Amino acid sequence: MIRVPVEMSVQGLRKLLHLFGVKIDSWGAGEAHDVDRFFRELQLGESFLRIGHSGELERVLRVVKLIIEDPDKGILLEDYQILPDGRRKDRGQTPSGKIGINETPIAAMKREMDEELSLSEQQYKARIDKPRTEERPSKSYPGLRSIYELYSVYVRLDPKVKIPDGH
């Protein structure tokens, strides 16, 4: 596992990616983030790098995936997301969020429920599954092998909670 050392810079990260043959020329276009954003992600502990069994550089993320059941509307989906730089990212999937370096999956779930729907834990019941690991291409960082440790969280909203349209 490689954690970003305090003295590492964005330029150092670029060199590391180049050393492992990760092509970054398409980063920062379309849905892809740029190297600066990836560096911040690593600094925040939202992901980390490791060298996999094949010697390939891997980005590893721990993620909570929220399956939110509204008694009136069924399973809630996130239509889109507005990125910090103002771009719109179409989602069409259940809400999810990265688990921070010092955060438990339960704490991440509570944070996401507050951020996504402004709900406190008294307004829903949640059950979290054991994690499963998936490897899949990353739209955020194309060409960088990404391993996801996924925690599915099944959330049932209290019937008294009314979620306005658009959420």
Side-chain angles (χ1 to χ4, degrees):
M1 171 174 31
I2 302 169
R3 295 260 185 219
V4 176
V6 173
E7 66 276 0
M8 183 176 242
S9 63
V10 173
Q11 190 57 32
L13 178 58
R14 286 179 188 277
K15 288 179 183 177
L16 180 67
L17 294 167
H18 178 74
L19 178 68
F20 280 90
V22 178
K23 303 208 180 310
I24 60 171
D25 50 323
S26 66
W27 289 21
E31 291 187 42
H33 297 300
D34 60 18
V35 176
D36 290 342
R37 173 63 186 96
F38 185 43
F39 183 73
R40 283 190 305 278
E41 177 181 300
L42 293 168
Q43 281 184 312
L44 293 170
E46 294 176 344
S47 69
F48 63 90
L49 292 171
R50 71 179 182 200
I51 300 170
H53 297 294
S54 64
E56 190 175 359
L57 192 64
E58 298 175 339
R59 169 182 172 242
V60 181
L61 303 93
R62 295 179 335 135
V63 175
V64 289
K65 183 178 177 72
L66 305 176
I67 298 97
I68 304 169
E69 183 183 354
D70 180 317
D72 295 330
K73 298 179 180 182
I75 302 297
L76 301 181
L77 299 178
E78 183 178 36
D79 289 334
Y80 63 90
Q81 181 179 37
I82 302 297
L83 302 174
D85 63 5
R87 291 180 295 152
R88 177 185 162 134
K89 182 177 183 180
D90 290 328
R91 304 275 290 166
Q93 60 190 34
T94 59
S96 61
K98 296 175 195 160
I99 301 170
I101 192 167
N102 293 320
E103 193 173 39
T104 66
I106 292 170
M109 177 268 304
K110 290 176 183 178
R111 176 181 47 76
E112 287 293 324
M113 289 296 291
D114 179 47
E115 287 176 7
E116 297 290 336
L117 298 170
S118 301
L119 296 178
S120 67
E121 58 188 299
Q122 294 79 24
Q123 295 175 293
Y124 57 85
K125 291 187 191 243
R127 176 180 56 85
I128 191 166
D129 277 356
K130 291 183 180 177
R132 69 181 192 285
T133 303
E134 276 183 21
E135 177 182 342
R136 62 177 185 254
S138 170
K139 292 179 183 177
S140 298
Y141 305 105
L144 178 60
R145 186 176 193 177
S146 294
I147 310 296
Y148 297 82
E149 186 177 286
L150 298 170
Y151 292 81
S152 293
V153 182
Y154 298 89
V155 179
R156 179 150 173 85
L157 299 181
D158 184 303
K160 296 175 199 154
V161 171
K162 299 301 177 203
I163 303 297
D165 288 339
H167 280 313

